[in-house]
Amino acid sequence: MFQVPWSEYSVDLWEGLLKTLSYTAVGFVGAALLGLAVALMRLSPARPLRIPAVLYTEVFKNVPLLAVIFLTYFGLGSIGLKLDAFQAGTLSLVIFYAAYLSEIFRSAINGVHGGQQEAAEALGMRRISTFGKVVFPQALRLALPGTNTMLVDLLKSTSLLVTISAAELMSQGRLITSATFRALEVYLVIAAVYFVLCYPLSQGLLWFERRIQAGTPLSVGRRRRLRAAKALLDRKMSAQEMSTQEMSAQEITTPEVRA
Amino acid sequence: MTEVTENRTATDVLTIAGLSKSFGGRLVLDDVSLSVHRSTITAIIGQSGGGKTTLLRCLNLLERPDRGLIAVDGEPIFDRRVVCRDLPELRRSVGMVFQRFNLFPHLTAVENVILAPLDAGVPEREAVERAVGLLRRVRLTHRATAYPEQMSGGEQQRVAIARALALRPSVLLFDEPTSSLDPESTGEVLRVMRELAGDGMTMVLVTHELSFARDVADRVVFVDGGRIVEEGEPGQVLGNPREPRTREFLTHFSQSHQSKE
Ligand SMILES: Nc1ncnc2c1ncn2[C@@H]1O[C@H](COP(=O)(O)OP(=O)(O)O)[C@@H](O)[C@H]1O
Ligand SMILES: [Mg+2]
């Protein structure tokens, strides 16, 4: 069954794989940024921002990705806006997945309790830091599962770019097939490569989700502050006598904050 | 002298005059006037729906009044319209503790306390030190790195108090801080508040803990139907009210709360 001289094609496969990963990375980052912008527009109190955002989301949720790819590559090309395959491919992925991600982000931001915004406001935090330090991190936790699903889905959808000969994995598979006429063998191998990419990715993302849900602080700043607080607590605890009367053993009391 | 009590000479921390607010045409605050002196405890009591929460929320402009004047530390912040230069800055001098704690669930206790000072430009080292000091003050150093969901209601509310103190406000507002707590947690929170009172913190508190108000408050204000019906010394308002409405409220209140006390 295995008669394709794979060693001759390993460079092509490797390049296809790198291309697939580039489409995925650029497409996903772009889609996440655009999706966040669209989500914020939809949540804005200003109608002139909300309406185009709603239109955008609804249109691209209800159009197949392949149609978007053809429109950006052949369609725009026919009116003189010639994009190369990489530009058209990433643009299509960004436009298409931003619509889905905006929905995920919007419901995540909505899912953060209103009291949170209020508590931050009452603490004198400005709007931008309220969003950045209170609403966004909580929304991120809510959005993570859906976003991760979309990332894996996007990776798999890059295979549709075979239709514009985008030089990614699937396109390489087609080239190898036309040179060897071993479609079953070639596409089995290509499918296996996708699996080997996607399975660890989705498992890794699940692991990441669990860590985030468990409250593991990921940012350098948080870790540093927590370390500083712990050091301070340890120091003061050992310096003090546990000389308190009515409190339970584990509680430490001092009548004054700082001498 | 502890870190939260600031030594200013003016005696009025809060002045409210002729404050009115309506929601959708319904008057919820009707010409409310009140002064809060430095280092005093003002307890606001009254039936639910009377406008107590709205009054507190107006004091740090979480809610915009329709009419009236509010001054904090002698500086007008609202005079028929918002007149303070900087809303965030105002809110840092008026701390707020909510009925439902509203801690930030994605941050540990100590980070909850650090967040606002850090955002206000306090250097990180100092913000951390301040937070640890405040957690000690509310007896929660052993819970410093716990997340809100891992804490009891009473612990969460004490973290919320530490969080509100972290900006060294001139006055702390409490909106029914113990009404979603069990009796044990209520005791812990009231104890912390009692200590704050002892340290000279200025506090305005909406509460149904009448015995706490009697013990700790300097003034009791009875609010009903958006108006201040009666105001005075706790012994007088709670023990010998002048107004029939107050008497009626206290009678109903003691009847419905007899089983609890
Ligand atoms: N945001 C709001 N929109 C409309 N009505 C409100 C709002 N907040 C409070 N109210 C109404 O104002 C009245 C006073 O409410 P509130 O200040 O919460 O009273 P209290 O705290 O004394 O129970 C109630 O009738 C309530 O329904
Ligand atoms: Mg209320």
Side-chain angles (χ1 to χ4, degrees), chain A residues 172-231:
Chain A
Q172 298 296 358
R174 200 177 53 179
L175 291 177
I176 300 170
T177 310
S178 56
T180 60
F181 304 104
R182 311 273 319 167
L184 181 64
E185 183 182 342
V186 172
Y187 289 125
L188 271 177
V189 169
I190 296 291
V193 175
Y194 277 110
F195 181 83
V196 166
L197 286 179
C198 290
Y199 186 72
L201 177 64
S202 56
Q203 291 304 303
L205 290 170
L206 272 179
W207 173 83
F208 180 67
E209 260 172 51
R210 280 195 298 265
R211 272 182 67 110
I212 291 255
Q213 308 298 2
T216 314
L218 297 174
S219 86
V220 180
R222 284 194 63 195
R223 283 165 193 248
R224 187 181 58 234
R225 288 189 284 277
L226 275 171
R227 258 201 319 273
K230 275 183 199 153

Side-chain angles (χ1 to χ4, degrees), chain A residues 116 118 215 222 224 253-254, chain B residues 103 111 124 136 139 147:
Chain A
Q116 291 291 306
E118 200 146 80
R222 284 194 63 195
R224 187 181 58 234
T253 50
T254 24
Chain B
L103 290 184
E111 290 172 291
E124 183 165 303
R136 173 160 298 118
R139 305 166 203 288
Y147 283 88

Side-chain angles (χ1 to χ4, degrees), chain A residues 2 21 43 50 66 79 83 142 159 183 186 194 216 222 227 231 253:
Chain A
F2 288 102
L21 292 178
L43 291 167
R50 258 192 344 257
L66 198 52
I79 57 164
L83 300 180
L142 295 175
S159 61
V186 172
Y194 277 110
T216 314
R222 284 194 63 195
R227 258 201 319 273
T253 50

Side-chain angles (χ1 to χ4, degrees), chain B residues 160-182:
Chain B
I161 293 174
R163 181 176 72 170
L165 285 170
L167 291 157
R168 300 180 171 158
S170 304
V171 54
L172 262 194
L173 311 176
F174 293 84
D175 190 6
E176 301 194 33
T178 58
S179 56
S180 45
L181 300 178
D182 59 48

